[in-house]
Amino acid sequence: MITPKPVHLRRSYDVVVVGGGPAGLEAATAAQDAGAERVLVVDREKEAGGILRQCIHTGFGLHRFGEELTGPEYAQRVIENVLEHDIDVLTDAYVLDVDSHRQVKLLSTQAGVSLVDAGAVVLAMGARERTRASISIPGTRPAGIYTAGLAQRMVNLYGLLPGRRAVILGSGDIGLIMARRLTLEGVEVAGVFEIMSHANGLNRNIVQCLHDFDISLSLSTTIVEIHGRDRVEKVTVAPVDSQLRPIMRQARDVVCDTVLVSIGLIPENELSQQMRLRMDLATRGPIVNSAMETSRDGVFGCGNVVHIHDLVDFVSAEALLAGSNAGYFVRGRMPAPDNVQLQPGENVSYCVPHTISTEREHTVYLRVRTPLEACTLRLYEPNNSFVYTKKLRYVFPAEMVNLKLRPALLEQFHGGKLQVDIVPREV
Ligand SMILES: Cc1cc2nc3c(=O)[nH]c(=O)nc-3n(C[C@H](O)[C@H](O)[C@H](O)COP(=O)(O)OP(=O)(O)OC[C@H]3O[C@@H](n4cnc5c(N)ncnc54)[C@H](O)[C@@H]3O)c2cc1C
């Protein structure tokens, strides 16, 4: 992978980007294209590229580049674009704090603790995985329990196998991808167990990673105990009832030496909380307006730190928006304020951005709570008339719904609150 050139850190930058994954790198180039002259990207890893570096499977880039790429190929395209700009990329460096004057405190192996003044800041810290501790699985604490992403890093970056016979808890995309990856590396995958009655990964991953490799997916089933003293020896699995309570009389043991936990990602927002940004309890990310600006002037957010994305292509789209607005901010050319507040309603867990303008075109990302077929998305003023409705063939919690809103669609509406529901279609 091409690496950015060494950095001579300046005392001040127009835009400082925290995180050098696809979101951070795309935001940095967009900021410069929009007029920011000096741009710095800081990443704590030794190499830029973020989580994509370990995702060696294909499935990236169809929307962004019109081609199917692997994760490292996608990262490489983005890094090449950074190299065509005049952007400083400081790796092996950790952002500790951003104060109310947008002074960034960072710790790097190159320069120790440094303070950098930023005209604007883009937060792009990505997400981390939930661990066994997040769901308190009973049992012993033997070796052999990994998050799916850690196992992916071991196999794909370090050439290490986590075990010989694995069980996967949770049907998130990383677990599904690892079921296939481990099988290809000669590890037996004894099954994927999902507590919900529906899978939590993309349908294409269920087909390509499980069905194509004859790996079983047991829905409404969970691990109730992990056994083993030094190393995992087996797990007990049991179906759950409608209240998600295990039905112990139907419990059974599955022999394995490895458990991969794939139960979702959490936006990496310790820094945002330290900065006292307004947060959304549903996304666990900062609240943002249509410019991807957080509740702090001149501080923008994009990518998995704002909400968990299903495809990196949408991360890029959001990052280009956040980055260009950071560039406009330092040039004093921000768009007019939003006049619409979006409120998640029936079967919608969140909408990002949280506010939009009736004057501009927007893409709003939504997630639903429960799967539906033949449904309707409706946008309406609470206690008032519908503003816009759209038929959807299906919705699924694992797949983001992308709603393109053009000014013409909202011309009857002049601002205020709009509620978003996704409900079964009336026949
Ligand atoms: C295992 C896995 C498989 C995936 N498979 C697919 C797929 O098949 N197709 C697809 O389109 N998408 C896939 N994705 C999703 C895609 O990889 C992500 O959407 C994308 O990488 C998110 O980009 P990001 O820049 O927001 O975060 P990341 O890529 O996580 O980058 C965040 C960066 O911020 C850095 N950072 C965090 N905090 C700090 C700090 N305080 N200081 C300095 N640096 C910091 C981190 O080191 C990291 O490099 C997958 C994701 C995972 C985890």
Side-chain angles (χ1 to χ4, degrees), residues 19 21-23 43-44 50-51 57 59-60 95 125-126 152 174 304 311-312:
D43 198 286
R44 63 186 173 196
I51 202 79
H57 54 281
F60 301 80
V95 173
M125 291 91 74
Q152 185 181 52
I174 314 174
N304 274 355
L311 294 181
V312 69

Side-chain angles (χ1 to χ4, degrees), residues 267-306:
E268 186 98 30
N269 269 307
E270 283 65 26
L271 187 58
S272 319
Q273 279 159 353
Q274 206 173 299
M275 293 168 70
R276 298 187 175 278
L277 302 183
R278 280 187 63 215
M279 305 294 284
D280 179 337
L281 292 177
T283 57
R284 302 179 75 161
I287 290 177
V288 289
N289 64 21
S290 66
M292 299 307 294
E293 189 178 25
T294 67
S295 54
R296 178 88 60 87
D297 274 359
V299 177
F300 299 79
C302 55
N304 274 355
V305 80
V306 176

Side-chain angles (χ1 to χ4, degrees), residues 124-182:
M125 291 91 74
R128 62 167 178 269
E129 294 178 281
R130 283 177 210 271
T131 63
R132 172 189 182 176
S134 326
I135 50 167
S136 310
I137 311 166
T140 50
R141 296 282 179 275
I145 306 168
Y146 307 86
T147 61
L150 174 61
Q152 185 181 52
R153 197 178 172 92
M154 287 169 64
V155 176
N156 293 351
L157 292 187
Y158 308 136
L160 300 170
L161 279 187
R164 291 278 161 213
R165 187 174 153 87
V167 153
I168 299 179
L169 176 65
S171 60
D173 287 311
I174 314 174
L176 301 177
I177 286 162
M178 282 313 291
R180 174 178 65 185
R181 186 82 189 99
L182 290 181

Side-chain angles (χ1 to χ4, degrees), residues 4-25:
K5 56 188 183 309
V7 171
H8 299 289
L9 199 62
R10 295 165 183 266
R11 292 288 302 276
S12 79
Y13 283 86
D14 291 334
V15 176
V16 173
V17 180
V18 188
L25 297 172

Side-chain angles (χ1 to χ4, degrees), residues 112-132:
V113 176
S114 313
L115 294 175
V116 173
D117 291 321
V121 172
V122 180
L123 302 177
M125 291 91 74
R128 62 167 178 269
E129 294 178 281
R130 283 177 210 271
T131 63
R132 172 189 182 176

Side-chain angles (χ1 to χ4, degrees), residues 349-407:
S349 56
Y350 72 76
C351 308
V352 170
H354 297 78
T355 59
I356 57 170
S357 163
T358 46
E359 306 294 314
R360 297 184 291 275
E361 181 172 322
H362 303 285
T363 301
V364 177
Y365 299 105
L366 320 169
R367 278 205 196 253
V368 293
R369 294 177 195 283
T370 52
L372 286 177
E373 283 185 10
C375 46
T376 303
L377 181 150
R378 33 181 221 210
L379 212 54
Y380 61 101
E381 295 176 72
N383 311 319
N384 214 327
S385 53
F386 291 112
V387 170
Y388 172 68
T389 60
K390 183 183 180 184
K391 288 180 181 169
L392 301 173
R393 270 184 34 236
Y394 67 91
V395 287
F396 206 55
E399 282 181 30
M400 291 192 324
V401 177
N402 300 1
L403 174 64
K404 274 227 179 331
L405 285 177
R406 286 186 294 280

Side-chain angles (χ1 to χ4, degrees), residues 193-198 218-222 238-241 244 247:
F193 299 95
E194 167 59 57
I195 194 166
M196 304 304 287
S197 57
H198 55 84
S218 307
L219 297 173
S220 300
T221 307
T222 192
V240 296
D241 64 18
L244 305 184
I247 306 167

